[in-house]
Amino acid sequence: MPRTLIRNASIVLPGDGLRSASGEVRIGNVLLGEGRILDVDASDTASCDDAIDASGLHLLPGVIDDQVHFREPGLTHKEDLSTASHACAAGGVTSFLEMPNTKPPAITIEGVRAKERLAAEKSLVNFGFYIGATPDNVAELAKATDVPGIKIFIGSSTGNLLVDEQEALERIFGETTLPICSHCEDETTVRANTERYRGTNDIADHSRIRDEKAAMIATERATDLARRHKHRFHVLHVSTAAELVYLADPSPYLTAEVCPHHLFFNVDDYARLGSRIQMNPSIKSSADNAGLWQALLDDVVQVIATDHAPHTLDEKAQPYPNSPSGLPAVENSLALMLNQAHHGKVNVVQIAHWMSDAPARVWGMTAKGRIAEGYDADLVLVDLNESRTIRDAEQHTKNRWSPWDGETLTGWPVRTYVGGHQVWSIDAGFDESARGTKPTFDHSRGGYWATTDGIGV
């Protein structure tokens, strides 16, 4: 494979692994070859086939989005692995982990392998697929290997993916070994609230139906299971500040994440954006926005992911409650955070921790998530001074819309590398011949809290 020398970049280097702000930025040269980072302190004259002058640009580890719904197989009128991976590449996302609620759902090992084969044919970036839990597939979950983890829907879902009975949950936590993640909304509470608001067409009632209580009950229930069974568990898309009480005490078994829509939108935005911000868990209050931001800054929450879940605009335009929950975000998530760095709320070291290093360690993705010798050359060059406006028509996701349509952000990706290969640049566009690969998932490393030095080869 050709060697690439990235010269004069502001390189975002990892810190101690637990404090998100503990890394550093250093100007230097990075040499790529054989799909790996060969040298993070290369000389200007290092032997290479291609040299890139990155003066004025920052080099970050590629984003790992550990929660996406790319809709293939079965729902490809909304999205597919090709269109979604193009959106990833343009957004600086070099690896994604996809959820099991496709049609058919990935609830067997062979179902996961079938999705891996599809991605190997279509995806420009790296890929992994969770296996989904049902009330009666514990034996299959116990046999699963070389996948990121198990996904449980403790709360409303489609088909037979809802797992709400305590006995089934106890078996899953007690009889399997893969790390588990969950959608946490209490089904009993959601159903009671749905009955209370029966007949409503007010989109704002979505946040009253899927309220703080529903999130708190389910998150308390799941974190209790994790602690009792001493089983690694990742709380997906935390939406309320109240849930943070279950995460505040450090535990070797618990990690959590937050999504951009829960950081940036709240119930006051329904009047402006309507069903474009209809999500499960629902958008909450401005106080919850503030609490979730503080949890990131305090390292109570470790990961930022998108829950990219596109629907067509025609589907979203149906009157509530017929409008589906979900929004696209993978191609804008990094820029949204870089814009926050531009305004001084966070810095690029923290962004690299939350969006790259932490998810790699949570899911045991070896040689991912850091700029360090021997790690995979999954990288993104960003221009912190470039301003662009998000436009629906310019989105690469299949449905070509964004809830951030019309917003101008400062700080954007300009080149994305997967395995040392440039898969996208602002000037050249996409390399349609590029294909990502499946990472190695090594759960014997112990997850986030046991890999403070990163998860190397």
Side-chain angles (χ1 to χ4, degrees):
M1 292 182 65
R3 290 188 172 200
T4 299
L5 180 64
I6 301 174
R7 291 195 182 115
N8 304 315
S10 295
I11 308 164
V12 181
L13 296 168
D16 65 15
L18 294 181
R19 294 178 299 137
S20 58
S22 66
E24 64 172 319
V25 178
R26 186 177 70 214
I27 296 176
N29 306 327
V30 176
L31 181 65
L32 317 179
E34 302 172 4
R36 303 266 175 158
I37 299 169
L38 300 179
D39 194 347
V40 295
D41 192 23
S43 73
D44 288 337
T45 58
S47 176
C48 65
D49 302 283
D50 187 26
I52 305 297
D53 182 9
S55 298
L57 303 178
H58 281 67
L59 185 67
L60 279 71
V63 171
I64 298 170
D65 193 332
D66 78 359
Q67 189 188 180
V68 302
H69 301 265
F70 283 173
R71 308 302 194 195
E72 189 169 2
L75 297 164
T76 53
H77 71 284
K78 302 175 189 280
E79 189 76 281
D80 60 54
L81 290 165
S82 176
T83 57
S85 69
H86 281 69
C88 284
V93 177
T94 55
S95 299
F96 66 81
L97 304 181
E98 209 250 4
M99 291 299 167
N101 54 329
T102 45
K103 292 186 176 181
I107 57 176
T108 65
I109 299 169
E110 176 50 35
V112 173
R113 300 294 177 244
K115 291 173 76 171
E116 290 170 353
R117 290 191 291 270
L118 282 172
E121 295 174 358
K122 298 184 176 186
S123 179
L124 270 63
V125 302
N126 303 317
F127 50 84
F129 298 93
Y130 297 92
I131 186 169
T134 74
D136 53 10
N137 75 336
V138 176
E140 192 77 5
L141 301 178
K143 293 187 297 183
T145 59
D146 201 23
V147 298
I150 296 166
K151 168 67 180 291
I152 306 178
F153 288 87
I154 306 176
S156 296
S157 183
T158 54
N160 63 342
L161 284 173
L162 173 64
V163 183
D164 203 45
E165 295 298 323
Q166 189 67 22
E167 181 181 357
L169 291 169
E170 296 282 356
R171 287 191 65 203
I172 293 168
F173 276 84
E175 298 177 22
T176 67
T177 59
L178 289 172
I180 295 172
C181 61
S182 179
H183 178 124
C184 293
E185 287 185 292
D186 180 62
E187 178 71 5
T188 299
T189 301
V190 170
R191 287 180 179 175
N193 288 341
T194 300
E195 185 62 31
R196 184 175 299 116
Y197 289 95
R198 180 175 296 279
T200 184
N201 295 121
D202 184 354
I203 187 67
D205 285 337
H206 189 68
S207 290
R208 301 180 182 105
I209 292 169
R210 293 179 174 272
D211 62 5
E212 177 186 276
K213 180 182 176 182
M216 286 188 68
I217 290 172
T219 298
E220 180 181 23
R221 185 183 189 189
T223 54
D224 171 70
L225 283 159
R227 286 191 168 100
R228 284 193 292 103
H229 288 282
K230 299 182 178 180
H231 198 127
R232 293 207 303 278
F233 177 72
H234 186 67
V235 185
L236 297 171
H237 42 44
V238 177
S239 65
T240 75
E243 291 169 88
L244 299 171
V245 68
Y246 306 119
L247 303 168
D249 294 329
S251 166
Y253 306 110
L254 298 178
T255 51
E257 74 187 35
V258 68
C259 298
H261 47 273
H262 290 127
L263 293 172
F264 293 107
F265 297 129
N266 60 61
V267 292
D268 295 336
D269 294 308
Y270 279 126
R272 177 172 60 93
L273 295 169
S275 63
R276 282 198 178 206
I277 57 169
Q278 180 186 332
M279 290 293 296
N280 300 341
S282 67
I283 304 302
K284 302 299 196 299
S285 70
S286 59
D288 289 306
N289 295 150
L292 295 174
W293 273 112
Q294 194 60 50
L296 276 173
L297 296 170
D298 291 342
D299 297 318
V300 174
V301 170
Q302 294 76 33
V303 173
I304 294 174
T306 65
D307 195 12
H308 177 96
H311 301 279
T312 70
L313 280 176
D314 285 344
E315 290 169 334
K316 294 291 275 186
Q318 296 177 85
Y320 185 78
N322 296 322
S323 51
S325 295
L327 58 81
V330 291
E331 62 195 288
N332 298 314
S333 60
L334 178 56
L336 286 162
M337 296 307 297
L338 294 175
N339 187 61
Q340 294 299 300
H342 173 74
H343 291 290
K345 186 163 189 173
V346 301
N347 60 56
V348 290
V349 167
Q350 292 169 309
I351 293 169
H353 176 89
W354 297 324
M355 302 187 82
S356 304
D357 182 49
R361 290 158 50 201
V362 168
W363 303 112
M365 300 169 67
T366 61
K368 299 289 188 190
R370 291 187 170 203
I371 298 179
E373 290 182 17
Y375 276 64
D376 292 343
D378 300 335
L379 303 164
V380 56
L381 272 171
V382 304
D383 186 343
L384 296 184
N385 297 311
E386 179 171 345
S387 292
R388 299 183 211 160
T389 301
I390 298 173
R391 303 290 187 196
D392 279 354
E394 297 170 3
Q395 300 299 289
H396 295 98
T397 185
K398 180 174 277 190
N399 290 305
R400 294 192 178 276
W401 68 271
S402 167
W404 291 279
D405 175 57
E407 292 197 27
T408 299
L409 309 178
T410 301
W412 283 91
V414 295
R415 291 178 188 259
T416 302
Y417 294 87
V418 175
H421 188 88
Q422 181 179 292
V423 298
W424 172 86
S425 77
I426 189 65
D427 296 320
F430 299 98
D431 181 349
E432 298 293 351
S433 70
R435 291 295 180 269
T437 59
K438 174 185 169 181
T440 297
F441 300 100
D442 185 353
H443 299 301
S444 70
R445 307 288 182 97
Y448 177 83
W449 298 103
T451 53
T452 55
D453 293 328
I455 182 159
V457 295

